[in-house]
Amino acid sequence: MTAQPLTILDRIGNTSLIALRHVRPARGARILLKLESENPTGSMKDRMALAMIEAAEADGRLKPGGPVVEYTGGSTGVSLSLVCAVKGYPLDIVTSDAFSKEKLDHMRLLGAALHIVESDGGRMTEALTKTMIARAGVIAQAKNSFWTDQMKNRDQIAAYHRMADEIWRQTDGRIDGFVQSVGTAASLRGIAERLRGHSGALTVVAVEPAESPVLSGGSSGAHRIDGIGAGYVVPLWQDGIADGIERVSTEEATAMAFRLAREEGLFAGTSTGANVVAALRLAERLGPGATVVTVMCDTGMKYLKTFGAALAAKA
């Protein structure tokens, strides 16, 4: 008899892996998508939020009922809000109007206190990221909070090692390429490390916004792909972690998110759109008979207003 979950946190992980049927190259590798939208908040960030909190509980950095603080574009904040609500930790979130209102509302509904940093016209920039980080540091010091500090926190990497093990089992060890967009770089790093531990013959591709291609040697710029592209080389990034870096524009990522919804019935956010654009490029290079895995980072339900506005603009 299967054990029943004790809390909603027990439903994090063990998500499905499915093949794209229509969004695929005519003569290229098959593309498998890891459906992280199946996690409780609809995001892969549930994995890392739980890992960061549990590691801090285990070593005493976070005491029972102690305050927690984080800066976030939304998905990490929603996931931390869920974990802290279940575990009874007050949570301060530093975020911005640059991110989807759905995410901000979701955090508030889960009990987080939000501190909003105004953006430059709703765009994500290096200056915005660094302002949010500085504000979180001030709050952490003032309240003596445990600061999860996702850009530097290595505890989250273990969560992505577990995700890689799931992918390895689900593919029966038949995987030739892995593609993932870079926010903190923890998911790309953790999954790539573990998959390469299983099989050295693996091509890993990182994805960044074409408007802010800092990882591939370009200049920092503004873009609108939620959750990725901090505008500078993030601390958890490592040279050599990826075999290549693909630049995907906000326009390309959004168009692919819409295509996935219409052709595959998969309603995802723009970071997923960017992943699939890059996965298609890799699939064409690897050719028939190969398998490429990428990630559906979250559900498109987090972006309904933004996507609705984009559809209205096209009408």
Side-chain angles (χ1 to χ4, degrees):
M1 183 175 179
T2 303
Q4 295 300 304
L6 296 177
T7 74
I8 192 65
L9 303 183
D10 295 307
R11 299 301 302 165
I12 294 174
N14 295 309
T15 58
S16 302
L17 186 70
I18 67 165
L20 297 183
R21 299 175 302 136
H22 305 294
V23 181
R24 54 183 299 178
R27 291 184 57 80
R30 66 171 181 159
I31 299 174
L32 304 180
L33 196 61
K34 186 73 164 150
L35 302 188
E36 290 297 286
S37 56
E38 293 177 350
N39 285 303
T41 75
S43 167
M44 70 185 299
K45 297 293 189 177
D46 288 359
R47 295 177 185 265
M48 57 88 87
L50 183 61
M52 291 191 299
I53 293 297
E54 288 189 336
E57 289 174 330
D59 65 17
R61 285 174 292 163
L62 179 57
K63 307 298 183 184
V68 178
V69 65
E70 182 57 290
Y71 53 89
T72 170
S75 288
T76 297
V78 172
S79 298
L80 275 171
S81 298
L82 174 75
V83 174
C84 288
V86 173
K87 289 178 170 285
Y89 299 117
L91 175 65
D92 286 285
I93 290 290
V94 179
T95 187
S96 173
D97 59 354
F99 308 112
S100 76
K101 188 174 184 299
E102 292 91 335
K103 290 181 180 179
L104 304 188
D105 289 343
H106 198 169
M107 287 186 272
R108 288 191 181 100
L109 285 166
L110 287 166
L114 267 57
H115 307 262
I116 307 296
V117 177
E118 290 189 7
S119 65
D120 177 10
R123 301 182 304 166
M124 281 157 276
T125 62
E126 178 182 5
L128 175 61
T129 301
K130 291 186 174 179
T131 299
M132 287 167 53
I133 292 172
R135 184 78 61 85
V138 170
I139 293 170
Q141 186 171 22
K143 294 190 173 184
N144 195 28
S145 303
F146 169 63
W147 184 8
T148 46
D149 200 5
Q150 61 173 311
M151 287 293 187
K152 298 178 180 177
N153 192 314
R154 296 174 183 271
D155 294 329
Q156 61 185 305
I157 292 176
Y160 295 119
H161 286 166
R162 291 189 286 272
M163 185 172 166
D165 290 339
E166 291 175 24
I167 291 169
W168 185 256
R169 289 193 301 270
Q170 289 168 318
T171 58
D172 292 325
R174 294 192 291 272
I175 174 172
D176 303 283
F178 176 71
V179 176
Q180 173 64 334
S181 49
V182 176
T184 68
S187 59
L188 176 73
R189 178 172 164 180
I191 294 170
E193 282 177 354
R194 191 62 152 238
L195 287 177
R196 281 179 169 146
H198 288 300
S199 170
L202 178 74
T203 301
V204 175
V205 171
V207 185
E208 66 177 348
E211 301 92 336
S212 188
V214 295
L215 299 178
S216 53
S219 300
S220 174
H223 66 94
R224 294 179 186 269
I225 306 178
D226 270 25
I228 74 170
Y232 60 97
V233 179
V234 290
L236 293 178
W237 174 262
Q238 285 183 323
D239 290 336
I241 194 174
D243 300 294
I245 301 170
E246 288 289 341
R247 300 177 177 185
V248 179
S249 70
T250 300
E251 183 179 2
E252 290 172 313
T254 303
M256 181 55 73
F258 287 8
R259 188 180 170 195
L260 286 168
R262 291 170 175 162
E263 297 184 30
E264 301 281 358
L266 296 169
F267 188 31
T270 47
S271 57
T272 302
N275 277 351
V276 174
V277 169
L280 281 168
R281 296 172 186 170
L282 178 60
E284 289 175 349
R285 293 198 297 271
L286 293 182
T291 295
V292 173
V293 173
T294 191
V295 181
M296 181 169 171
C297 303
D298 61 7
T299 170
M301 296 299 289
K302 294 175 180 282
Y303 311 94
L304 275 174
K305 290 184 176 65
T306 302
F307 284 169
L311 289 173
K314 291 181 178 181

